[in-house]
Amino acid sequence: MEILGIDIGASGIKGAVVDVEQGVLTSGRYRLPTPQPSVPEDVGDVVGQVTRHFGWQGPIGCTFPAIIRDGVAYNAANVDESWVGTNGQKLFQRKTGCPVLLLNDADAAGIAEMEFGAGRGHDGVVFVLTLGTGIGSAIFVNRQLLPNAELGHLEIRGKDAEWRASTYARERKKLSYEEWAKALNEFLERLEFLFSPDLFILGGGISRKHDKFLHLLHTSRAQILPAQFFNQAGIVGAAMAAKALVLELFGNG
Ligand code: BGC
């Protein structure tokens, strides 16, 4: 089954057609910049453009970098404030003319990693953390997702963890990998104390360069693995999540 996956980030909106049974892209990726300011109508127009690029008329799975419940955004850390209370799912349905399932970006990335990536075969408590403009988090307990965890906003010495340890923080503060790893270790240590996870999977675009920093990270017990989908996890996981939509619309037959 093929579904269009769209991943909305603070700087780019990317799409690709995904074979959701295999967890692979069956088209090239198409990326447009996220409009600034990233107000809902303008973001919706770009989602429409990405959809039309593929000539797509089927179901769409779409990520968004915020808490998403029943299609509605409940916070807006790295997107325009006017998203709070907006039903993005309905908006994108209107802009694309297609059925859309909207979910948190890190939850989507986690779904892809657990099924086809670094989380394959891992039960217990698994945290998928996406390092980018913010820090996204997806928690799995025996492979079941606890949606909308916002661990990137856990306060560390008076500031959100993502302000200190995201990829954006590394760039903004011009940190070496050693310095950045220190901030990330502080975050991982806190998470380990609070939740005792068995495994951390570190994703986001920077996971492609994991050889530069993974050896600098340490936990007392939890294993740490790099994500396998790098920054494609959102596209793949969003499409996988939208499988539910297809079953709802067309049933099993
Ligand atoms: C948002 C999360 C999102 C993460 C990664 C955070 O600032 O609050 O919802 O998953 O950034 O984009």
Side-chain angles (χ1 to χ4, degrees), residues 159-178:
K159 295 233 163 73
D160 278 9
E162 70 177 23
W163 182 252
R164 296 186 181 279
S166 62
T167 307
Y168 172 59
R170 190 179 81 83
E171 291 162 1
R172 193 186 70 239
K173 300 195 205 172
K174 301 193 172 46
L175 301 178
S176 65
Y177 278 106
E178 283 76 14

Side-chain angles (χ1 to χ4, degrees), residues 7-10 64-68 75-79 104-107 130-138 148-153 160 162:
D7 190 19
I8 300 180
F64 197 73
I67 298 168
I68 300 291
N75 66 340
N78 298 303
V79 286
N104 171 264
D105 55 355
D107 285 352
T130 61
L131 307 166
T133 308
I135 295 184
S137 53
N148 289 311
E150 286 283 332
L151 300 177
H153 296 290
D160 278 9
E162 70 177 23

Side-chain angles (χ1 to χ4, degrees), residues 207-222:
S207 53
R208 201 181 288 280
K209 298 186 190 154
H210 60 82
D211 53 316
K212 293 211 159 66
F213 62 89
L214 221 59
H215 62 285
L216 302 169
L217 300 177
H218 37 77
T219 51
S220 36
R221 202 181 53 90

Side-chain angles (χ1 to χ4, degrees), residues 32-43:
L32 290 174
T34 303
Q36 303 299 337
S38 52
V39 293
E41 279 296 320
D42 295 355
V43 171

Side-chain angles (χ1 to χ4, degrees), residues 23-39:
V24 293
L25 306 192
T26 57
S27 75
R29 261 179 7 138
Y30 181 63
R31 180 187 189 278
L32 290 174
T34 303
Q36 303 299 337
S38 52
V39 293

Side-chain angles (χ1 to χ4, degrees), residues 2-253:
E2 288 191 330
I3 294 182
L4 180 63
I6 297 181
D7 190 19
I8 300 180
S11 59
I13 298 181
K14 300 165 287 188
V17 180
V18 179
D19 175 334
V20 293
E21 265 92 38
Q22 311 289 330
V24 293
L25 306 192
T26 57
S27 75
R29 261 179 7 138
Y30 181 63
R31 180 187 189 278
L32 290 174
T34 303
Q36 303 299 337
S38 52
V39 293
E41 279 296 320
D42 295 355
V43 171
D45 285 338
V46 175
V47 169
Q49 265 171 275
V50 170
T51 306
R52 282 192 294 282
H53 168 84
F54 293 99
W56 189 256
Q57 292 185 332
I60 299 173
C62 185
T63 78
F64 197 73
I67 298 168
I68 300 291
R69 290 175 60 105
D70 294 328
V72 177
Y74 279 82
N75 66 340
N78 298 303
V79 286
D80 193 78
E81 268 294 313
S82 56
W83 272 98
V84 178
T86 299
N87 191 321
Q89 187 165 286
K90 279 196 183 142
L91 172 71
F92 298 157
Q93 260 158 215
R94 175 160 61 78
K95 297 284 187 183
T96 61
C98 299
V100 176
L101 179 89
L102 192 68
L103 75 164
N104 171 264
D105 55 355
D107 285 352
I111 289 169
E113 289 295 338
M114 290 306 286
E115 186 77 23
F116 297 114
R120 241 178 316 182
H122 285 276
D123 294 335
V125 179
V126 180
F127 281 22
V128 179
L129 302 174
T130 61
L131 307 166
T133 308
I135 295 184
S137 53
I139 300 179
F140 292 85
V141 180
N142 290 331
R143 314 193 60 77
Q144 185 77 36
L145 172 68
L146 167 73
N148 289 311
E150 286 283 332
L151 300 177
H153 296 290
L154 190 73
E155 217 173 280
I156 302 216
R157 289 181 289 112
K159 295 233 163 73
D160 278 9
E162 70 177 23
W163 182 252
R164 296 186 181 279
S166 62
T167 307
Y168 172 59
R170 190 179 81 83
E171 291 162 1
R172 193 186 70 239
K173 300 195 205 172
K174 301 193 172 46
L175 301 178
S176 65
Y177 278 106
E178 283 76 14
E179 290 165 323
W180 181 57
K182 234 171 142 182
L184 209 48
N185 274 328
E186 194 178 9
F187 179 45
L188 295 179
E189 195 182 298
R190 180 74 72 81
L191 293 179
E192 207 178 13
F193 173 71
L194 291 173
F195 300 97
S196 296
D198 299 293
L199 169 65
F200 288 112
I201 297 174
L202 300 185
I206 194 135
S207 53
R208 201 181 288 280
K209 298 186 190 154
H210 60 82
D211 53 316
K212 293 211 159 66
F213 62 89
L214 221 59
H215 62 285
L216 302 169
L217 300 177
H218 37 77
T219 51
S220 36
R221 202 181 53 90
Q223 199 185 348
I224 306 178
L225 289 175
Q228 287 180 6
F229 280 97
F230 307 126
N231 54 355
Q232 283 184 14
I235 295 180
V236 175
M240 288 171 64
K243 245 196 307 188
L245 200 66
V246 178
L247 298 179
E248 205 178 286
L249 289 169
F250 308 111
N252 276 313

